[in-house]
Amino acid sequence: MAENLLPPEFAEFEAYAPIWCLPTESERWARRMSTPMRDLVTFHDAFLPRLEEAIEYCDKYPLDDLPEDALNLLYLVYSLVLVAMAVEIFSQPMPTDSADAELHRVAEPSP
């Protein structure tokens, strides 16, 4: 059995971890753009109720010294931010009136 990516307190989200625990915003953007809306809504509706708890969990550690499972949880939080915009604002993966919007970063924030 594969090693868990998330802290045990968030084991219920392990199925989302390989999909949404992405280290860069560009990767998260690409995933959002390529994911069917029903899957975005499913992830959003599952994780949103525990968002504050996830942030509080991550806040127990210094940002530059997060354990790997907490870092993955933080990546999941970051993914939810992008997904929430699609679900709550646009009702579609692509931003409204954005033509062929793409996200290209020359540097990524850490973490």
Side-chain angles (χ1 to χ4, degrees):
M1 185 163 158
E3 184 178 326
N4 292 337
L5 296 174
L6 300 173
E9 296 88 338
F10 297 91
E12 67 195 86
F13 304 112
E14 279 297 330
Y16 298 108
I19 301 164
W20 291 107
C21 291
L22 303 169
T24 69
E25 187 175 13
S26 297
E27 290 173 287
R28 292 186 288 272
W29 176 263
R31 180 61 48 89
R32 175 181 133 179
M33 292 300 117
S34 66
T35 300
M37 194 62 194
R38 71 181 174 280
D39 295 342
L40 296 177
V41 170
T42 299
F43 169 58
H44 172 274
D45 291 352
F47 191 49
L48 183 64
R50 299 216 33 218
L51 176 62
E52 290 297 324
E53 187 180 345
I55 293 169
E56 288 172 10
Y57 183 91
C58 293
D59 280 347
K60 295 189 305 186
Y61 303 99
L63 262 181
D64 59 350
D65 195 27
L66 284 165
E68 188 172 347
D69 61 351
L71 182 58
N72 285 329
L73 183 62
L74 184 59
Y75 292 154
L76 204 64
V77 168
Y78 291 165
S79 288
L80 182 64
V81 171
L82 283 182
V83 168
M85 288 188 281
V87 172
E88 298 172 15
I89 299 170
F90 302 120
S91 299
Q92 63 184 22
M94 180 66 79
T96 306
D97 298 326
S98 64
D100 293 327
E102 294 183 23
L103 178 66
H104 298 281
R105 284 209 175 260
V106 295
E108 292 282 345
S110 177

